[in-house]
Amino acid sequence: MKVTVVGAGAVGATCADNIARKELCSELVLLDIKEGIAEGKAQDMMQTAALLGFDTKIVGSTNDYSKTADSDVVVITSGLPRKPGMTREELIGVNAGIVKSVCENILKYSPNAIIIIISNPMDTMTYLALTSTGLPKNRIIGMGGTLDSSRFKYQLSQHLNCSPADLNAVVVGGHGDTTMIPLIRLATWNSVPVTKFLSAEQQEQIVKDTMVGGATLTALIGTSAWYAPGASGAALVESILRDEKKLFTCCVALDGEYGQKDICLGVPVTIGRNGWEKIIDFELNADEQAAFDKSAAAVRGMNDVLKTL
Ligand SMILES: NC(=O)c1ccc[n+]([C@@H]2O[C@H](COP(=O)([O-])OP(=O)(O)OC[C@H]3O[C@@H](n4cnc5c(N)ncnc54)[C@H](O)[C@@H]3O)[C@@H](O)[C@H]2O)c1
């Protein structure tokens, strides 16, 4: 198996590191437009192989897409990250051009690849990748809800004083600070609804902290976070290559599901060897569906900006 990660910055390098440590593929290509950075980080990671005991061969490339040929999965992280005070949406102008050209270059050498989009604004970049490549919809997966759901579990675990791994909790909708919807009504602690253990105030706080999870870290670090985003990308790669059919919230093309069409938005999907394979209907209640529709309207507005670029 072969995987390419485009963008050897904070998120791309962390994602690649996770993929290599787990030996998800025999060859891993890290590609960046900036001279030398991908080769340098690839070599640095290879120098951990003897210590960590993995066999994945990591190759760096400065914009030479021939090295990415015949990749089974490609993770796109190239583009600007946000700085403190910025929204993800402000990145659209620069990142749309990057994501479109990266997709074109990738498909020249790996026409059968499954593509995971991480670059922001992720919902719109996923829609752009889908519409500009014309690939079957199951091969384009946006990574946002996977991260947001993991952040949701972290926030819940802090209030419940429990292991995040014992929690089932998902965030659906867009990947923006105001468009994501943490579904606290459906969250469980080993199958018991978390709402049984949390006051209304605590629930409200958890939802609020989850929604601004990325912005909180951007303010603390000075740029957007990378450990959980990189691990989230690698978790999707793992579910694809090992055909695990795990359930993740991913940004995928909707065709009537959750009441929406002609849009890519975060919903629970199974991830396996064919990319995203099945959308699971969580039967939102009226309030949740209204929030989902509002989220879709905001993302649609952002998608419309693509026409003006
Ligand atoms: N979807 C999510 O959940 C999520 C989470 C975190 C970050 N992000 C997004 O991921 C992206 C990367 O974030 P980061 O922190 O790694 O940024 P970064 O600046 O550390 O790295 C980005 C890398 O992309 C490279 N790049 C730029 N244009 C390129 C091109 N045309 N081809 C190849 N490489 C190119 C840059 O040289 C840089 O090394 C940002 O858009 C950020 O907002 C998304």
Side-chain angles (χ1 to χ4, degrees):
M1 292 289 177
K2 180 168 173 177
V3 176
T4 289
V5 177
V6 181
V11 176
T14 308
C15 184
D17 192 34
N18 277 281
I19 291 169
R21 283 172 189 243
K22 289 186 162 190
E23 290 188 317
L24 300 182
C25 53
S26 50
E27 190 179 353
L28 175 59
V29 179
L30 189 58
L31 181 145
D32 203 285
I33 201 164
K34 212 191 246 171
E35 186 76 39
I37 182 175
E39 287 86 342
K41 290 199 182 183
Q43 235 182 78
D44 191 12
M45 275 181 235
M46 280 305 289
Q47 289 167 11
T48 69
L51 300 163
L52 300 171
F54 64 77
D55 280 328
T56 296
K57 181 181 162 211
I58 312 166
V59 176
S61 164
T62 301
N63 228 25
D64 176 2
Y65 281 82
S66 66
K67 290 191 178 160
T68 70
D70 300 322
S71 292
D72 296 285
V73 183
V74 176
V75 185
I76 300 182
T77 76
S78 45
L80 294 185
R82 58 180 171 162
K83 296 290 171 208
M86 277 175 98
T87 64
R88 294 175 176 95
E89 288 73 15
E90 286 173 70
L91 304 168
I92 189 168
V94 178
N95 287 356
I98 293 175
V99 168
K100 192 163 180 278
S101 74
V102 167
C103 285
E104 281 165 12
N105 285 323
I106 281 295
L107 290 174
K108 273 185 214 156
Y109 293 94
S110 302
N112 299 317
I114 292 168
I115 297 181
I116 297 174
I117 304 287
I118 297 189
S119 312
N120 273 319
M122 184 279 301
D123 302 294
T124 297
M125 294 302 109
T126 305
Y127 183 75
L128 172 67
L130 181 78
T131 49
S132 68
T133 62
L135 283 184
K137 61 183 179 182
N138 295 68
R139 283 173 48 198
I140 304 277
I141 303 170
M143 194 297 290
T146 306
L147 168 66
D148 299 328
S149 300
S150 190
R151 286 179 171 159
F152 186 24
K153 288 179 192 173
Y154 163 75
Q155 295 296 347
L156 284 163
S157 73
Q158 296 300 294
H159 285 260
L160 293 166
N161 193 21
C162 74
S163 164
D166 279 346
L167 295 167
N168 268 308
V170 302
V171 176
V172 296
H175 178 55
D177 297 348
T178 57
T179 60
M180 69 179 77
I181 308 154
L183 292 175
I184 198 152
R185 176 182 66 93
L186 299 174
T188 65
W189 181 6
N190 265 349
S191 82
V192 183
V194 297
T195 48
K196 278 194 172 229
F197 308 103
L198 300 165
S199 67
E201 292 73 33
Q202 279 179 305
Q203 293 180 41
E204 204 178 306
Q205 192 63 48
I206 289 165
V207 167
K208 207 171 128 213
D209 290 344
T210 301
M211 291 176 78
V212 296
T216 304
L217 295 180
T218 302
L220 288 169
I221 304 172
T223 185
S224 83
W226 56 88
Y227 291 112
S232 300
L236 297 182
V237 171
E238 182 169 16
S239 199
I240 294 169
L241 294 181
R242 297 197 167 142
D243 198 21
E244 291 177 328
K245 308 205 187 298
K246 277 194 176 166
L247 189 61
F248 290 102
T249 303
C250 290
C251 178
V252 301
L254 298 182
D255 189 20
E257 300 90 347
Y258 284 80
Q260 295 295 333
K261 268 182 184 210
D262 188 30
I263 192 164
C264 294
L265 217 50
V267 292
V269 288
T270 54
I271 301 284
R273 198 58 196 91
N274 301 309
W276 69 265
E277 298 186 345
K278 198 171 162 189
I279 296 177
I280 309 297
D281 184 359
F282 271 23
E283 296 182 9
L284 303 185
N285 67 23
D287 287 349
E288 292 157 352
Q289 185 64 50
F292 194 86
D293 293 344
K294 200 171 153 208
S295 179
V299 170
R300 201 165 267 121
M302 192 53 51
N303 293 351
D304 286 343
V305 175
L306 291 173
K307 296 177 196 150
T308 67
L309 298 175

